[in-house]
């Protein structure tokens, strides 16, 4: 059976794992990037017209879920985490990325927007919102951990099998974490977008396919295109 390494933070619980398994792949889920909560100086959330959250880690960091502001999530997983905490969702962009959220958030001009962020988050989202006239305040609520220590042994075990055909990266941080944990750069890489592709190529990977979008379906389709079931890394 053809095996794929998935490096996304949710590990075996990531929906990409189930999707690839349904297509006949053996999936070895090893998070090569994670998050860690950090102390944050939270303002009164009721002062804002919008609270924008870009990950489930950001949702977990929120001190309260007030009813006053409108809530926006970058994608379905973040939206689900917000709903679980009792937030009423008002906006999710069609594409699950910060640029799409910045470009399509309703009525941003003059709106007070609180953006819950990671320490190494991409600057496109706040810059895009400010360009549309939003009054953006940022809270850094968690930090990105590249190459979490407890993923070292699972990655070593995953790579010990000779049926591994490719590795899937959904962020540049995941690429750097993979390398930090000792992952080989001669493994074919499938990436989620141009920035991740650039980081992967810079690290020495051959990117065989870049997904056309950022959804689970787009990533699974990229895997299927690049690595047909019958193709294996080693004969």
């Amino acid at each position: 059976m053809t095996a794929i390494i998935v490096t996304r933070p949710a590990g075996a619980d990531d929906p990409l794992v189930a999707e690839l398994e349904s297509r006949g792949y053996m999936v070895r889920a090893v998070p090569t990037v994670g998050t860690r909560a950090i102390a944050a100086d939270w303002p009164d959330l009721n002062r804002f017209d919008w609270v924008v959250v870009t990950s489930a880690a950001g949702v977990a960091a929120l001190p309260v879920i007030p009813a006053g502001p409108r809530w926006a999530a970058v994608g379905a997983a973040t939206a689900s985490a917000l709903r679980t905490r009792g937030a009423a969702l008002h906006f999710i962009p069609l594409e699950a990325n910060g640029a799409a959220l910045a470009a399509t958030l309703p009525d941003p001009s003059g709106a007070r927007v609180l953006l819950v962020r990671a320490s190494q988050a991409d600057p496109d989202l706040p810059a895009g919102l400010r360009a549309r006239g939003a009054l953006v305040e940022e809270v850094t609520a968690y930090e990105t951990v590249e190459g979490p220590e407890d993923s070292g042994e699972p990655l070593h075990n995953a790579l010990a099998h000779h049926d591994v055909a490719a590795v899937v990266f959904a962020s540049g941080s995941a690429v750097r974490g993979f390398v930090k944990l000792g992952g080989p750069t001669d493994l074919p890489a499938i990436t989620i977008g141009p920035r991740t592709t650039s980081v992967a190529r810079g690290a020495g990977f051959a990117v065989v396919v870049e997904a056309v979008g950022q959804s689970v379906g787009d990533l699974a389709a990229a895997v299927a295109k690049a690595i047909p079931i019958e193709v294996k890394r080693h004969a």
Side-chain angles (χ1 to χ4, degrees), residues 53-144:
V53 193
T54 59
S55 73
V59 175
L62 288 163
V64 292
I65 305 288
R70 289 186 286 177
W71 293 86
V74 74
T78 307
S80 177
L82 278 169
R83 290 189 181 103
T84 297
R85 288 202 59 186
L89 262 291
H90 297 87
F91 183 70
I92 307 170
L94 293 177
E95 295 183 29
N97 60 71
L101 200 163
T104 57
L105 186 77
D107 309 318
S109 183
R112 295 162 299 176
V113 178
L114 179 66
L115 180 56
V116 183
R117 309 270 284 158
S119 58
Q120 299 179 31
D122 194 287
D124 285 359
L125 176 53
L129 290 171
R130 290 184 177 114
R132 296 182 64 207
L135 306 174
V136 180
E137 184 172 333
E138 300 178 55
V139 172
T140 301
Y142 58 100
E143 61 184 353
T144 300

Side-chain angles (χ1 to χ4, degrees), residues 38-216:
I38 58 178
D41 186 12
W42 290 95
D44 179 0
L45 272 61
N46 282 300
R47 294 195 293 105
F48 296 90
D49 301 298
W50 283 100
V51 177
V52 175
V53 193
T54 59
S55 73
V59 175
L62 288 163
V64 292
I65 305 288
R70 289 186 286 177
W71 293 86
V74 74
T78 307
S80 177
L82 278 169
R83 290 189 181 103
T84 297
R85 288 202 59 186
L89 262 291
H90 297 87
F91 183 70
I92 307 170
L94 293 177
E95 295 183 29
N97 60 71
L101 200 163
T104 57
L105 186 77
D107 309 318
S109 183
R112 295 162 299 176
V113 178
L114 179 66
L115 180 56
V116 183
R117 309 270 284 158
S119 58
Q120 299 179 31
D122 194 287
D124 285 359
L125 176 53
L129 290 171
R130 290 184 177 114
R132 296 182 64 207
L135 306 174
V136 180
E137 184 172 333
E138 300 178 55
V139 172
T140 301
Y142 58 100
E143 61 184 353
T144 300
V145 180
E146 296 177 351
E149 290 184 7
D150 57 1
S151 289
E153 184 176 352
L155 181 59
H156 175 78
N157 293 338
L159 292 166
H161 299 270
H162 295 305
D163 57 357
V164 177
V167 56
V168 178
F169 294 121
S171 69
S173 293
V175 176
R176 291 187 291 268
F178 184 87
V179 174
K180 181 179 178 181
L181 291 168
T185 58
D186 63 346
L187 195 62
I190 297 160
T191 59
I192 201 168
R195 288 185 176 168
T196 305
T197 296
S198 177
V199 173
R201 286 177 174 156
F205 288 92
V207 177
V208 291
V209 171
E210 180 182 295
V212 298
Q214 300 199 356
S215 72
V216 167

Side-chain angles (χ1 to χ4, degrees), residues 21-44:
E21 288 176 344
S22 74
R23 293 172 180 244
Y25 293 94
M26 169 71 71
V27 181
R28 299 194 172 94
V30 182
T32 63
V33 61
T35 60
R36 181 167 51 221
I38 58 178
D41 186 12
W42 290 95
D44 179 0

